[in-house]
Amino acid sequence: MGRKVFVAGVGMTRFEKPFTRDWDYPDMAREAGTQALQDAGVPYREVQQAAVGYVYGDSTRGQRAVYELGLTGIPVYNVNNNCSTGSTALYLAKQLVEGGLADCVLALGFEKMQKGALAIDASRGNPLQRHLETMVRLRGQADGPPAAQLFGNAGREHMERYGTRAESFARIALKNHRHSVENANSQFRQEYTLEQIQQSPGVHQPLTRLQCCPTSDGAAAAVVVSGDFVRRHRLEEKAVEIAGMAMATDLPGSFEDSSIRLVGSEMTRLAARQAYEQSGLGPEDVQVIELHDCFSTNELITYEALGLCPEGEGGELIDSGAVTYGGRWVVNPSGGLISKGHPLGATGLAQCAELSWQLRGLAGKRQVPGARAALQHNLGLGGAAVVTLYRRAA
């Protein structure tokens, strides 16, 4: 292990439905990046390197984005790791600081998306070819978005193996939509009844529309620094330590005989184990969690992969009220991807922002009482799972 690493400042834009307003990714990056720098009390000239994530866009958009903050000649790395792009940028920034290559790194993520379900460029090799071939072999192919089929099939498998009810998945969406009401940065801020969620248009059983994340525009950023930098700039009261962080990719079991493993449970479990070992923390030590609920089925599966409950008991966990205010943990106080939105390159850094605010006591009406340690999970099919543990530095 190298030096201790801290998040000294965070920022994010509001997440919005594509084409809601007239802005482009440089505008998003300037807004989120400026917020993060101001939050840290650090001028851009102090930033020594930048890792910038986005999924849809031409090469060197990272440079175009940070040029909105300054022209200082620093190295800029462009990062693309599907839906875990934002946390991959954070992971790279953390490694640069931890390894002693920089004292202050900006991690920035943004996305300007098209309306509707995600599309893949058919003129090039499909990076999800193995996943889709395995899906067809295990469950066949239906009409509808491939991502919804992949995660919906995982939910079906969970129901068949463990007797999980469709209502339990709907309760996850109920919780996350309710949490988002207090988040001014959330794309949606409407609370729904369980009946409304269950009766919204079907996407791929057991998923309904209100259990699926929307496409979104937006950006988020974090200023990542060393302990020396924290002391030099007297940032002890606001710095949040990255106590452990691990990234894992697919394993052989991902492509064998399970729709649950196909959507990343195995690599999540591996990354979580490594992050727990690094930090000395476990799920029993955290109070607040932001995890990758691209679909309600994935949140439930992730409870088990992160060790919040034994395998097969995710449905009981959500039904018991253990993952909302007043329970054992508060999971996705921001509203999660389902309600806050999911601009792919920004999601992991927005999770980081939410958890930093929670640990600093700055989350307003979303504040989790007594939050001193936090857990983050960000997943990208193709694949990359990033799991992070945070704790208050002071």
Side-chain angles (χ1 to χ4, degrees):
M1 296 292 291
R3 304 187 297 174
K4 286 189 175 183
V5 181
F6 301 86
V7 176
V10 292
M12 66 176 290
T13 69
R14 180 174 178 175
F15 287 0
E16 298 183 352
K17 182 179 180 180
F19 306 109
T20 297
R21 60 168 152 152
D22 184 20
W23 64 341
D24 203 350
Y25 74 91
D27 306 304
M28 303 173 194
R30 180 176 60 252
E31 184 177 328
T34 299
Q35 286 182 16
L37 292 165
Q38 290 178 344
D39 186 37
V42 172
Y44 182 69
R45 64 177 178 273
E46 294 271 6
V47 175
Q48 297 165 324
Q49 303 199 41
V52 186
Y54 55 94
V55 175
Y56 296 108
D58 300 320
S59 182
T60 69
R61 283 198 179 190
Q63 281 87 335
R64 176 66 182 87
V66 298
Y67 289 173
E68 294 296 310
L69 303 172
L71 293 163
T72 55
I74 62 170
V76 177
Y77 308 96
N78 290 265
V79 178
N80 183 338
N81 230 1
N82 222 338
C83 300
S84 61
T85 291
S87 57
T88 301
L90 182 65
Y91 183 76
L92 177 57
K94 186 245 188 187
Q95 288 186 311
L96 291 168
V97 173
E98 186 176 49
L101 300 177
D103 277 323
C104 180
V105 179
L106 178 68
L108 173 67
F110 59 80
E111 210 70 60
K112 184 174 175 63
M113 301 183 71
Q114 299 297 315
K115 294 180 180 179
L118 301 182
I120 295 173
D121 184 354
S123 68
R124 304 171 187 268
N126 186 345
L128 296 181
Q129 180 178 349
R130 292 190 67 175
H131 296 76
L132 296 175
E133 288 174 348
T134 303
M135 179 190 77
V136 171
R137 175 171 58 81
L138 294 177
R139 294 274 173 174
Q141 187 168 5
D143 293 333
Q149 292 184 55
L150 284 162
F151 286 98
N153 290 342
R156 292 181 185 185
E157 180 179 313
H158 207 277
M159 296 169 77
E160 293 162 1
R161 284 192 179 190
Y162 308 113
T164 307
R165 300 175 302 147
E167 181 179 313
S168 297
F169 298 121
R171 287 189 183 280
I172 288 170
L174 178 76
K175 168 183 69 72
N176 292 348
H177 283 292
R178 184 174 65 243
H179 289 177
S180 73
V181 170
E182 303 297 347
N183 187 357
N185 288 322
S186 182
Q187 184 168 340
F188 300 124
R189 300 185 67 188
Q190 181 176 346
E191 188 170 355
Y192 297 92
T193 66
L194 186 63
E195 183 179 38
Q196 286 174 315
I197 290 167
Q198 291 178 303
Q199 293 183 359
S200 64
V203 178
H204 186 77
Q205 201 276 332
L207 295 170
T208 63
R209 185 176 297 168
L210 287 173
Q211 297 177 61
C212 306
C213 68
T215 52
S216 315
D217 287 350
V223 178
V224 182
V225 302
S226 66
D228 288 342
F229 191 95
V230 168
R231 288 184 289 272
R232 194 162 62 246
H233 290 78
R234 299 179 180 178
L235 300 174
E236 289 87 353
E237 290 299 317
K238 64 175 59 176
V240 171
E241 182 186 356
I242 301 178
M245 189 175 197
M247 179 190 295
T249 57
D250 283 302
L251 296 153
S254 300
F255 304 105
E256 291 176 356
D257 59 358
S258 169
S259 295
I260 293 174
R261 290 200 298 271
L262 182 61
V263 295
S265 67
E266 196 171 31
M267 58 180 175
T268 290
R269 191 169 280 106
L270 174 60
R273 184 169 67 247
Q274 293 173 346
Y276 294 151
E277 289 173 356
Q278 289 175 25
S279 65
L281 300 172
E284 68 279 1
D285 298 308
V286 307
Q287 296 78 42
V288 57
I289 301 169
E290 284 280 310
L291 62 77
H292 198 91
D293 62 315
C294 49
F295 299 90
S296 62
T297 50
N298 196 53
E299 176 163 330
L300 189 147
I301 289 164
T302 302
Y303 294 157
E304 300 169 13
L306 293 175
L308 306 190
C309 64
E311 188 171 346
E313 296 184 13
E316 297 174 28
L317 192 70
I318 179 64
D319 292 344
S320 72
V323 289
T324 189
Y325 294 88
R328 175 64 185 82
W329 302 277
V330 179
V331 177
N332 287 329
S334 68
L337 283 60
I338 284 175
S339 198
K340 180 183 61 184
H342 185 26
L344 308 188
T347 287
L349 286 159
Q351 291 176 323
C352 172
E354 176 68 23
L355 295 177
S356 294
W357 289 323
Q358 290 284 349
L359 294 180
R360 292 163 60 187
L362 300 177
K365 292 182 179 180
R366 300 189 312 283
Q367 184 63 50
V368 176
R372 297 194 60 83
L375 173 63
Q376 176 188 354
H377 163 265
N378 192 198
L379 177 74
L381 289 186
V386 185
V387 175
T388 310
L389 275 298
Y390 301 89
R391 61 184 160 214
R392 289 177 57 177

